[in-house]
Amino acid sequence: MKDFFKNIRYFFSYLIALWFCFQIRISPRFMVRFYARIAAGCIRLMPSALKICTGNIKVAFPEWDEKRIHAVAVKSIRLVALNFLEFIWMSGIPRRIERVCKPTDEAMQKIKKYVEKNVRIIFVNPHLGSWEASGLMAPYYTGLEMAAIAKPSRNKYLNKLISGRREKTGGLKIIFAKGAMKAAIKALRSNMSIGTLIDQNTRVRDGGEFVEFFGLPAPSSTAPALLKRYCDANDIPAVILYGTCVRENNSIVSYVAELAKPFDEYTCDREVIQDLMHMTESFIRRYPEQYVWLYKRFRYIPQDADEDAIKRFPYYAEKVKPVFYSRMRGKR
C-alpha cells in the first residue's frame, strides 16, 4: 500500500512537471529568463542555499571580499536556474538551438575531425555555464551520435520526462548512472560517443579518485580514463575531449580542448583526471559566476588530509570513513 501511494505521488509530480515544461516551451525567451529569476529567488529563500555557495566560493577564491563572494553566489544560482529552463525551451526546436547556441569554428572542427575518422569521443564536461546545451550542440551541429551519463531521479516518471527532453533533438541517448559503465561500453562498441560530467563526488569504492581542485583534494570519477583504456585494449578508436559551453554576449558558446599530452604518456588514471580538473579550474576562474557553487563539491575530506588542509574545507565537509574507499573495509 505504501508503494501504491508513493507511485501516485510520483505520478502527480510528473504531471506538474509536464505542465511546467509546457509553459516554458510556449514562452518567449525573455520570459524564460524572467522565470529563471523567480526560480532563483525561491532557491535563495532556502537558508542553506547561499550558505553553501558562499562557503564554496571562499574556498576557491579566499582573496575575494564578502561583497564579491555574495554577488557571484547570487548570479550563480540564477544561471543554474536559467540553464535548466533554457534547455527545456530549446530542446527539439532547431531554430531556438541555432538562435542561442553559437559553437566556435575551432570546437566544431575538432569534433568533426574525429567524427569523419570514426573515432569515438569521450566528452568530459564540468557543471559550468550551460552544460545541458552540450548534449544539444554536438549532435545537432556535427551529426555526432552520443550517449550521456545522467543521475536518475527516484521518480520513474520524471526520469522518462527528463530523458525524453534530452533525447528529443536527436543523436543523444541517456544512460542513467546505475550500471552506467556497462551501458557506456556497449554504446562505444556501437559506434557512439560518450558524455560524462567530471566534477561530481564519486566515492573511491565507486571508481573515484581524490584530485586537487582549487588546492583541496576532491573526489572525481575516473570513468573517462577507464573508458579510454577499455577502447585502447579492444582496438576501438577513441579520444578524450574536454568540452564546456559558457554564456557570452547572450549566447551559449562552446569550447573544446584535448588532453595536455597523448593518453599513453600518462602514468595512471588519476593523472588524467587531474589534468581534466585543472582545465575545469581554469575555465571557472574565467567564468566564476557560471559555476554550480550550490553543489557540495568539497564535502569529503580524505583520511590522510593534514591539519592545514582540513582547516580550508568549508563548514559542511566531513572526514570520510573506511567505507568510502571500500565496502569491505567498512564492514571490519
Side-chain angles (χ1 to χ4, degrees), residues 55-88:
N56 285 331
I57 296 170
K58 285 178 181 178
V59 169
F61 301 98
E63 71 278 11
W64 285 6
D65 59 37
E66 292 292 333
K67 184 178 179 180
R68 187 176 182 184
I69 289 171
H70 179 81
V72 169
V74 169
K75 191 170 184 179
S76 170
I77 292 172
R78 178 173 63 81
L79 291 178
V80 168
L82 181 60
N83 170 49
F84 287 107
L85 299 188
E86 204 166 51
F87 166 75
I88 294 169

PDB file of all heavy atoms in Angstrom, residues 55-88:
ATOM      1  N   GLY A  55      30.244  29.410   0.962  1.00  0.00           N
ATOM      2  CA  GLY A  55      31.264  28.542   1.554  1.00  0.00           C
ATOM      3  C   GLY A  55      32.198  27.980   0.500  1.00  0.00           C
ATOM      4  O   GLY A  55      33.427  27.937   0.692  1.00  0.00           O
ATOM      5  N   ASN A  56      31.646  27.563  -0.647  1.00  0.00           N
ATOM      6  CA  ASN A  56      32.466  27.032  -1.738  1.00  0.00           C
ATOM      7  C   ASN A  56      33.333  28.109  -2.370  1.00  0.00           C
ATOM      8  O   ASN A  56      34.511  27.888  -2.670  1.00  0.00           O
ATOM      9  CB  ASN A  56      31.562  26.417  -2.808  1.00  0.00           C
ATOM     10  CG  ASN A  56      30.998  25.073  -2.393  1.00  0.00           C
ATOM     11  OD1 ASN A  56      31.615  24.360  -1.625  1.00  0.00           O
ATOM     12  ND2 ASN A  56      29.822  24.740  -2.886  1.00  0.00           N
ATOM     13  N   ILE A  57      32.743  29.277  -2.601  1.00  0.00           N
ATOM     14  CA  ILE A  57      33.484  30.361  -3.261  1.00  0.00           C
ATOM     15  C   ILE A  57      34.648  30.839  -2.391  1.00  0.00           C
ATOM     16  O   ILE A  57      35.729  31.165  -2.898  1.00  0.00           O
ATOM     17  CB  ILE A  57      32.536  31.525  -3.605  1.00  0.00           C
ATOM     18  CG1 ILE A  57      31.480  31.054  -4.620  1.00  0.00           C
ATOM     19  CG2 ILE A  57      33.310  32.703  -4.184  1.00  0.00           C
ATOM     20  CD1 ILE A  57      30.356  32.039  -4.850  1.00  0.00           C
ATOM     21  N   LYS A  58      34.449  30.853  -1.074  1.00  0.00           N
ATOM     22  CA  LYS A  58      35.537  31.250  -0.169  1.00  0.00           C
ATOM     23  C   LYS A  58      36.711  30.284  -0.261  1.00  0.00           C
ATOM     24  O   LYS A  58      37.868  30.691  -0.125  1.00  0.00           O
ATOM     25  CB  LYS A  58      35.021  31.318   1.272  1.00  0.00           C
ATOM     26  CG  LYS A  58      34.153  32.534   1.564  1.00  0.00           C
ATOM     27  CD  LYS A  58      33.632  32.505   2.982  1.00  0.00           C
ATOM     28  CE  LYS A  58      32.734  33.705   3.262  1.00  0.00           C
ATOM     29  NZ  LYS A  58      32.167  33.678   4.637  1.00  0.00           N
ATOM     30  N   VAL A  59      36.421  29.012  -0.486  1.00  0.00           N
ATOM     31  CA  VAL A  59      37.489  28.031  -0.657  1.00  0.00           C
ATOM     32  C   VAL A  59      38.250  28.294  -1.948  1.00  0.00           C
ATOM     33  O   VAL A  59      39.485  28.291  -1.986  1.00  0.00           O
ATOM     34  CB  VAL A  59      36.909  26.600  -0.669  1.00  0.00           C
ATOM     35  CG1 VAL A  59      37.979  25.592  -1.125  1.00  0.00           C
ATOM     36  CG2 VAL A  59      36.401  26.212   0.701  1.00  0.00           C
ATOM     37  N   ALA A  60      37.503  28.537  -3.034  1.00  0.00           N
ATOM     38  CA  ALA A  60      38.121  28.715  -4.346  1.00  0.00           C
ATOM     39  C   ALA A  60      38.814  30.069  -4.489  1.00  0.00           C
ATOM     40  O   ALA A  60      39.862  30.177  -5.136  1.00  0.00           O
ATOM     41  CB  ALA A  60      37.061  28.554  -5.437  1.00  0.00           C
ATOM     42  N   PHE A  61      38.208  31.100  -3.887  1.00  0.00           N
ATOM     43  CA  PHE A  61      38.749  32.454  -4.028  1.00  0.00           C
ATOM     44  C   PHE A  61      38.871  33.126  -2.656  1.00  0.00           C
ATOM     45  O   PHE A  61      38.126  34.051  -2.323  1.00  0.00           O
ATOM     46  CB  PHE A  61      37.838  33.281  -4.935  1.00  0.00           C
ATOM     47  CG  PHE A  61      37.658  32.709  -6.316  1.00  0.00           C
ATOM     48  CD1 PHE A  61      36.543  31.956  -6.629  1.00  0.00           C
ATOM     49  CD2 PHE A  61      38.624  32.906  -7.287  1.00  0.00           C
ATOM     50  CE1 PHE A  61      36.370  31.420  -7.896  1.00  0.00           C
ATOM     51  CE2 PHE A  61      38.478  32.379  -8.565  1.00  0.00           C
ATOM     52  CZ  PHE A  61      37.347  31.625  -8.870  1.00  0.00           C
ATOM     53  N   PRO A  62      39.813  32.669  -1.849  1.00  0.00           N
ATOM     54  CA  PRO A  62      39.952  33.205  -0.490  1.00  0.00           C
ATOM     55  C   PRO A  62      40.347  34.689  -0.459  1.00  0.00           C
ATOM     56  O   PRO A  62      40.159  35.352   0.564  1.00  0.00           O
ATOM     57  CB  PRO A  62      41.055  32.328   0.123  1.00  0.00           C
ATOM     58  CG  PRO A  62      41.825  31.802  -1.045  1.00  0.00           C
ATOM     59  CD  PRO A  62      40.809  31.624  -2.133  1.00  0.00           C
ATOM     60  N   GLU A  63      40.855  35.192  -1.576  1.00  0.00           N
ATOM     61  CA  GLU A  63      41.280  36.593  -1.625  1.00  0.00           C
ATOM     62  C   GLU A  63      40.111  37.551  -1.874  1.00  0.00           C
ATOM     63  O   GLU A  63      40.271  38.768  -1.740  1.00  0.00           O
ATOM     64  CB  GLU A  63      42.338  36.774  -2.726  1.00  0.00           C
ATOM     65  CG  GLU A  63      41.827  36.674  -4.150  1.00  0.00           C
ATOM     66  CD  GLU A  63      41.671  35.251  -4.672  1.00  0.00           C
ATOM     67  OE1 GLU A  63      41.756  34.304  -3.866  1.00  0.00           O
ATOM     68  OE2 GLU A  63      41.468  35.094  -5.896  1.00  0.00           O
ATOM     69  N   TRP A  64      38.940  37.039  -2.220  1.00  0.00           N
ATOM     70  CA  TRP A  64      37.795  37.900  -2.518  1.00  0.00           C
ATOM     71  C   TRP A  64      37.177  38.455  -1.235  1.00  0.00           C
ATOM     72  O   TRP A  64      37.175  37.787  -0.195  1.00  0.00           O
ATOM     73  CB  TRP A  64      36.726  37.133  -3.280  1.00  0.00           C
ATOM     74  CG  TRP A  64      37.065  36.880  -4.718  1.00  0.00           C
ATOM     75  CD1 TRP A  64      38.243  37.162  -5.363  1.00  0.00           C
ATOM     76  CD2 TRP A  64      36.214  36.273  -5.695  1.00  0.00           C
ATOM     77  NE1 TRP A  64      38.178  36.773  -6.671  1.00  0.00           N
ATOM     78  CE2 TRP A  64      36.945  36.226  -6.919  1.00  0.00           C
ATOM     79  CE3 TRP A  64      34.926  35.763  -5.663  1.00  0.00           C
ATOM     80  CZ2 TRP A  64      36.411  35.701  -8.082  1.00  0.00           C
ATOM     81  CZ3 TRP A  64      34.378  35.237  -6.830  1.00  0.00           C
ATOM     82  CH2 TRP A  64      35.122  35.216  -8.021  1.00  0.00           C
ATOM     83  N   ASP A  65      36.579  39.651  -1.339  1.00  0.00           N
ATOM     84  CA  ASP A  65      35.854  40.202  -0.193  1.00  0.00           C
ATOM     85  C   ASP A  65      34.422  39.668  -0.169  1.00  0.00           C
ATOM     86  O   ASP A  65      33.946  39.059  -1.143  1.00  0.00           O
ATOM     87  CB  ASP A  65      35.859  41.737  -0.215  1.00  0.00           C
ATOM     88  CG  ASP A  65      35.234  42.322  -1.486  1.00  0.00           C
ATOM     89  OD1 ASP A  65      34.249  41.765  -1.997  1.00  0.00           O
ATOM     90  OD2 ASP A  65      35.734  43.358  -1.972  1.00  0.00           O
ATOM     91  N   GLU A  66      33.717  39.890   0.931  1.00  0.00           N
ATOM     92  CA  GLU A  66      32.374  39.331   1.128  1.00  0.00           C
ATOM     93  C   GLU A  66      31.384  39.821   0.064  1.00  0.00           C
ATOM     94  O   GLU A  66      30.504  39.071  -0.380  1.00  0.00           O
ATOM     95  CB  GLU A  66      31.857  39.697   2.521  1.00  0.00           C
ATOM     96  CG  GLU A  66      32.605  39.024   3.660  1.00  0.00           C
ATOM     97  CD  GLU A  66      32.382  37.515   3.703  1.00  0.00           C
ATOM     98  OE1 GLU A  66      31.306  37.069   3.234  1.00  0.00           O
ATOM     99  OE2 GLU A  66      33.269  36.801   4.189  1.00  0.00           O
ATOM    100  N   LYS A  67      31.522  41.070  -0.339  1.00  0.00           N
ATOM    101  CA  LYS A  67      30.597  41.642  -1.323  1.00  0.00           C
ATOM    102  C   LYS A  67      30.684  40.907  -2.650  1.00  0.00           C
ATOM    103  O   LYS A  67      29.660  40.566  -3.261  1.00  0.00           O
ATOM    104  CB  LYS A  67      30.891  43.129  -1.508  1.00  0.00           C
ATOM    105  CG  LYS A  67      29.914  43.833  -2.431  1.00  0.00           C
ATOM    106  CD  LYS A  67      30.235  45.324  -2.529  1.00  0.00           C
ATOM    107  CE  LYS A  67      29.258  46.015  -3.481  1.00  0.00           C
ATOM    108  NZ  LYS A  67      29.556  47.474  -3.591  1.00  0.00           N
ATOM    109  N   ARG A  68      31.892  40.672  -3.099  1.00  0.00           N
ATOM    110  CA  ARG A  68      32.074  39.982  -4.376  1.00  0.00           C
ATOM    111  C   ARG A  68      31.622  38.530  -4.274  1.00  0.00           C
ATOM    112  O   ARG A  68      31.003  37.999  -5.203  1.00  0.00           O
ATOM    113  CB  ARG A  68      33.539  40.052  -4.813  1.00  0.00           C
ATOM    114  CG  ARG A  68      33.769  39.492  -6.213  1.00  0.00           C
ATOM    115  CD  ARG A  68      35.204  39.661  -6.665  1.00  0.00           C
ATOM    116  NE  ARG A  68      35.377  39.170  -8.021  1.00  0.00           N
ATOM    117  CZ  ARG A  68      36.554  39.125  -8.658  1.00  0.00           C
ATOM    118  NH1 ARG A  68      37.656  39.553  -8.045  1.00  0.00           N
ATOM    119  NH2 ARG A  68      36.630  38.651  -9.897  1.00  0.00           N
ATOM    120  N   ILE A  69      31.915  37.883  -3.178  1.00  0.00           N
ATOM    121  CA  ILE A  69      31.504  36.490  -2.975  1.00  0.00           C
ATOM    122  C   ILE A  69      29.976  36.383  -3.037  1.00  0.00           C
ATOM    123  O   ILE A  69      29.424  35.495  -3.706  1.00  0.00           O
ATOM    124  CB  ILE A  69      32.032  35.962  -1.625  1.00  0.00           C
ATOM    125  CG1 ILE A  69      33.547  35.765  -1.695  1.00  0.00           C
ATOM    126  CG2 ILE A  69      31.342  34.646  -1.241  1.00  0.00           C
ATOM    127  CD1 ILE A  69      34.191  35.450  -0.365  1.00  0.00           C
ATOM    128  N   HIS A  70      29.305  37.289  -2.353  1.00  0.00           N
ATOM    129  CA  HIS A  70      27.834  37.275  -2.346  1.00  0.00           C
ATOM    130  C   HIS A  70      27.272  37.515  -3.750  1.00  0.00           C
ATOM    131  O   HIS A  70      26.330  36.820  -4.184  1.00  0.00           O
ATOM    132  CB  HIS A  70      27.312  38.346  -1.388  1.00  0.00           C
ATOM    133  CG  HIS A  70      25.817  38.423  -1.331  1.00  0.00           C
ATOM    134  ND1 HIS A  70      25.059  37.554  -0.571  1.00  0.00           N
ATOM    135  CD2 HIS A  70      24.928  39.257  -1.958  1.00  0.00           C
ATOM    136  CE1 HIS A  70      23.779  37.847  -0.729  1.00  0.00           C
ATOM    137  NE2 HIS A  70      23.674  38.872  -1.564  1.00  0.00           N
ATOM    138  N   ALA A  71      27.845  38.464  -4.485  1.00  0.00           N
ATOM    139  CA  ALA A  71      27.360  38.788  -5.825  1.00  0.00           C
ATOM    140  C   ALA A  71      27.508  37.601  -6.766  1.00  0.00           C
ATOM    141  O   ALA A  71      26.595  37.282  -7.548  1.00  0.00           O
ATOM    142  CB  ALA A  71      28.108  40.001  -6.376  1.00  0.00           C
ATOM    143  N   VAL A  72      28.645  36.918  -6.718  1.00  0.00           N
ATOM    144  CA  VAL A  72      28.882  35.756  -7.574  1.00  0.00           C
ATOM    145  C   VAL A  72      27.943  34.610  -7.183  1.00  0.00           C
ATOM    146  O   VAL A  72      27.412  33.906  -8.046  1.00  0.00           O
ATOM    147  CB  VAL A  72      30.355  35.310  -7.501  1.00  0.00           C
ATOM    148  CG1 VAL A  72      30.552  33.947  -8.168  1.00  0.00           C
ATOM    149  CG2 VAL A  72      31.246  36.352  -8.173  1.00  0.00           C
ATOM    150  N   ALA A  73      27.715  34.422  -5.887  1.00  0.00           N
ATOM    151  CA  ALA A  73      26.808  33.366  -5.421  1.00  0.00           C
ATOM    152  C   ALA A  73      25.392  33.586  -5.943  1.00  0.00           C
ATOM    153  O   ALA A  73      24.743  32.657  -6.430  1.00  0.00           O
ATOM    154  CB  ALA A  73      26.816  33.312  -3.897  1.00  0.00           C
ATOM    155  N   VAL A  74      24.914  34.817  -5.844  1.00  0.00           N
ATOM    156  CA  VAL A  74      23.559  35.148  -6.300  1.00  0.00           C
ATOM    157  C   VAL A  74      23.420  34.920  -7.800  1.00  0.00           C
ATOM    158  O   VAL A  74      22.442  34.330  -8.272  1.00  0.00           O
ATOM    159  CB  VAL A  74      23.213  36.613  -5.946  1.00  0.00           C
ATOM    160  CG1 VAL A  74      21.931  37.056  -6.644  1.00  0.00           C
ATOM    161  CG2 VAL A  74      23.069  36.764  -4.438  1.00  0.00           C
ATOM    162  N   LYS A  75      24.402  35.385  -8.557  1.00  0.00           N
ATOM    163  CA  LYS A  75      24.336  35.220 -10.013  1.00  0.00           C
ATOM    164  C   LYS A  75      24.464  33.762 -10.415  1.00  0.00           C
ATOM    165  O   LYS A  75      23.817  33.305 -11.373  1.00  0.00           O
ATOM    166  CB  LYS A  75      25.435  36.046 -10.691  1.00  0.00           C
ATOM    167  CG  LYS A  75      25.256  36.139 -12.200  1.00  0.00           C
ATOM    168  CD  LYS A  75      26.201  37.151 -12.826  1.00  0.00           C
ATOM    169  CE  LYS A  75      25.933  37.282 -14.327  1.00  0.00           C
ATOM    170  NZ  LYS A  75      26.838  38.279 -14.953  1.00  0.00           N
ATOM    171  N   SER A  76      25.275  33.010  -9.694  1.00  0.00           N
ATOM    172  CA  SER A  76      25.436  31.581  -9.984  1.00  0.00           C
ATOM    173  C   SER A  76      24.111  30.837  -9.844  1.00  0.00           C
ATOM    174  O   SER A  76      23.753  30.016 -10.696  1.00  0.00           O
ATOM    175  CB  SER A  76      26.479  30.966  -9.043  1.00  0.00           C
ATOM    176  OG  SER A  76      26.496  29.564  -9.149  1.00  0.00           O
ATOM    177  N   ILE A  77      23.368  31.125  -8.791  1.00  0.00           N
ATOM    178  CA  ILE A  77      22.077  30.470  -8.581  1.00  0.00           C
ATOM    179  C   ILE A  77      21.121  30.794  -9.727  1.00  0.00           C
ATOM    180  O   ILE A  77      20.410  29.917 -10.232  1.00  0.00           O
ATOM    181  CB  ILE A  77      21.476  30.892  -7.225  1.00  0.00           C
ATOM    182  CG1 ILE A  77      22.316  30.320  -6.076  1.00  0.00           C
ATOM    183  CG2 ILE A  77      20.019  30.417  -7.099  1.00  0.00           C
ATOM    184  CD1 ILE A  77      21.916  30.824  -4.703  1.00  0.00           C
ATOM    185  N   ARG A  78      21.117  32.058 -10.148  1.00  0.00           N
ATOM    186  CA  ARG A  78      20.224  32.449 -11.250  1.00  0.00           C
ATOM    187  C   ARG A  78      20.606  31.742 -12.542  1.00  0.00           C
ATOM    188  O   ARG A  78      19.739  31.281 -13.287  1.00  0.00           O
ATOM    189  CB  ARG A  78      20.266  33.960 -11.451  1.00  0.00           C
ATOM    190  CG  ARG A  78      19.388  34.434 -12.610  1.00  0.00           C
ATOM    191  CD  ARG A  78      19.307  35.929 -12.683  1.00  0.00           C
ATOM    192  NE  ARG A  78      20.574  36.569 -12.938  1.00  0.00           N
ATOM    193  CZ  ARG A  78      21.119  36.681 -14.168  1.00  0.00           C
ATOM    194  NH1 ARG A  78      20.489  36.174 -15.213  1.00  0.00           N
ATOM    195  NH2 ARG A  78      22.267  37.296 -14.318  1.00  0.00           N
ATOM    196  N   LEU A  79      21.896  31.625 -12.823  1.00  0.00           N
ATOM    197  CA  LEU A  79      22.330  30.996 -14.064  1.00  0.00           C
ATOM    198  C   LEU A  79      22.105  29.485 -14.049  1.00  0.00           C
ATOM    199  O   LEU A  79      21.876  28.883 -15.102  1.00  0.00           O
ATOM    200  CB  LEU A  79      23.801  31.320 -14.328  1.00  0.00           C
ATOM    201  CG  LEU A  79      24.082  32.788 -14.676  1.00  0.00           C
ATOM    202  CD1 LEU A  79      25.571  33.022 -14.883  1.00  0.00           C
ATOM    203  CD2 LEU A  79      23.306  33.217 -15.917  1.00  0.00           C
ATOM    204  N   VAL A  80      22.162  28.870 -12.879  1.00  0.00           N
ATOM    205  CA  VAL A  80      21.831  27.448 -12.780  1.00  0.00           C
ATOM    206  C   VAL A  80      20.360  27.236 -13.151  1.00  0.00           C
ATOM    207  O   VAL A  80      20.018  26.328 -13.919  1.00  0.00           O
ATOM    208  CB  VAL A  80      22.103  26.911 -11.356  1.00  0.00           C
ATOM    209  CG1 VAL A  80      21.480  25.529 -11.180  1.00  0.00           C
ATOM    210  CG2 VAL A  80      23.599  26.839 -11.089  1.00  0.00           C
ATOM    211  N   ALA A  81      19.483  28.090 -12.613  1.00  0.00           N
ATOM    212  CA  ALA A  81      18.059  28.003 -12.945  1.00  0.00           C
ATOM    213  C   ALA A  81      17.844  28.238 -14.435  1.00  0.00           C
ATOM    214  O   ALA A  81      17.076  27.519 -15.089  1.00  0.00           O
ATOM    215  CB  ALA A  81      17.268  29.017 -12.120  1.00  0.00           C
ATOM    216  N   LEU A  82      18.534  29.238 -14.993  1.00  0.00           N
ATOM    217  CA  LEU A  82      18.393  29.542 -16.410  1.00  0.00           C
ATOM    218  C   LEU A  82      18.881  28.386 -17.273  1.00  0.00           C
ATOM    219  O   LEU A  82      18.292  28.093 -18.326  1.00  0.00           O
ATOM    220  CB  LEU A  82      19.184  30.813 -16.736  1.00  0.00           C
ATOM    221  CG  LEU A  82      19.125  31.284 -18.196  1.00  0.00           C
ATOM    222  CD1 LEU A  82      17.684  31.574 -18.616  1.00  0.00           C
ATOM    223  CD2 LEU A  82      19.996  32.517 -18.396  1.00  0.00           C
ATOM    224  N   ASN A  83      19.938  27.714 -16.852  1.00  0.00           N
ATOM    225  CA  ASN A  83      20.463  26.574 -17.598  1.00  0.00           C
ATOM    226  C   ASN A  83      19.383  25.527 -17.822  1.00  0.00           C
ATOM    227  O   ASN A  83      19.161  25.061 -18.950  1.00  0.00           O
ATOM    228  CB  ASN A  83      21.645  25.962 -16.839  1.00  0.00           C
ATOM    229  CG  ASN A  83      22.085  24.634 -17.416  1.00  0.00           C
ATOM    230  OD1 ASN A  83      22.289  24.490 -18.613  1.00  0.00           O
ATOM    231  ND2 ASN A  83      22.229  23.633 -16.568  1.00  0.00           N
ATOM    232  N   PHE A  84      18.674  25.151 -16.765  1.00  0.00           N
ATOM    233  CA  PHE A  84      17.648  24.118 -16.879  1.00  0.00           C
ATOM    234  C   PHE A  84      16.438  24.591 -17.679  1.00  0.00           C
ATOM    235  O   PHE A  84      15.921  23.869 -18.540  1.00  0.00           O
ATOM    236  CB  PHE A  84      17.217  23.644 -15.492  1.00  0.00           C
ATOM    237  CG  PHE A  84      18.234  22.790 -14.805  1.00  0.00           C
ATOM    238  CD1 PHE A  84      18.975  23.273 -13.741  1.00  0.00           C
ATOM    239  CD2 PHE A  84      18.482  21.494 -15.234  1.00  0.00           C
ATOM    240  CE1 PHE A  84      19.933  22.487 -13.109  1.00  0.00           C
ATOM    241  CE2 PHE A  84      19.432  20.701 -14.612  1.00  0.00           C
ATOM    242  CZ  PHE A  84      20.163  21.196 -13.554  1.00  0.00           C
ATOM    243  N   LEU A  85      15.969  25.807 -17.398  1.00  0.00           N
ATOM    244  CA  LEU A  85      14.781  26.309 -18.085  1.00  0.00           C
ATOM    245  C   LEU A  85      15.043  26.542 -19.570  1.00  0.00           C
ATOM    246  O   LEU A  85      14.204  26.234 -20.420  1.00  0.00           O
ATOM    247  CB  LEU A  85      14.299  27.602 -17.429  1.00  0.00           C
ATOM    248  CG  LEU A  85      13.892  27.511 -15.954  1.00  0.00           C
ATOM    249  CD1 LEU A  85      13.252  28.815 -15.493  1.00  0.00           C
ATOM    250  CD2 LEU A  85      12.949  26.349 -15.702  1.00  0.00           C
ATOM    251  N   GLU A  86      16.209  27.083 -19.885  1.00  0.00           N
ATOM    252  CA  GLU A  86      16.537  27.345 -21.283  1.00  0.00           C
ATOM    253  C   GLU A  86      16.728  26.048 -22.051  1.00  0.00           C
ATOM    254  O   GLU A  86      16.399  25.967 -23.248  1.00  0.00           O
ATOM    255  CB  GLU A  86      17.795  28.209 -21.362  1.00  0.00           C
ATOM    256  CG  GLU A  86      17.906  29.005 -22.635  1.00  0.00           C
ATOM    257  CD  GLU A  86      18.956  30.076 -22.534  1.00  0.00           C
ATOM    258  OE1 GLU A  86      20.099  29.751 -22.143  1.00  0.00           O
ATOM    259  OE2 GLU A  86      18.644  31.236 -22.844  1.00  0.00           O
ATOM    260  N   PHE A  87      17.235  25.039 -21.382  1.00  0.00           N
ATOM    261  CA  PHE A  87      17.374  23.726 -22.028  1.00  0.00           C
ATOM    262  C   PHE A  87      16.010  23.177 -22.413  1.00  0.00           C
ATOM    263  O   PHE A  87      15.816  22.662 -23.521  1.00  0.00           O
ATOM    264  CB  PHE A  87      18.099  22.757 -21.086  1.00  0.00           C
ATOM    265  CG  PHE A  87      17.985  21.316 -21.510  1.00  0.00           C
ATOM    266  CD1 PHE A  87      18.725  20.847 -22.586  1.00  0.00           C
ATOM    267  CD2 PHE A  87      17.126  20.454 -20.856  1.00  0.00           C
ATOM    268  CE1 PHE A  87      18.606  19.521 -22.993  1.00  0.00           C
ATOM    269  CE2 PHE A  87      17.004  19.134 -21.247  1.00  0.00           C
ATOM    270  CZ  PHE A  87      17.754  18.666 -22.320  1.00  0.00           C
ATOM    271  N   ILE A  88      15.047  23.254 -21.490  1.00  0.00           N
ATOM    272  CA  ILE A  88      13.679  22.811 -21.790  1.00  0.00           C
ATOM    273  C   ILE A  88      13.111  23.606 -22.965  1.00  0.00           C
ATOM    274  O   ILE A  88      12.464  23.056 -23.861  1.00  0.00           O
ATOM    275  CB  ILE A  88      12.770  22.978 -20.544  1.00  0.00           C
ATOM    276  CG1 ILE A  88      13.225  22.034 -19.430  1.00  0.00           C
ATOM    277  CG2 ILE A  88      11.296  22.717 -20.894  1.00  0.00           C
ATOM    278  CD1 ILE A  88      12.557  22.307 -18.088  1.00  0.00           C
TER     279      ILE A  88
END
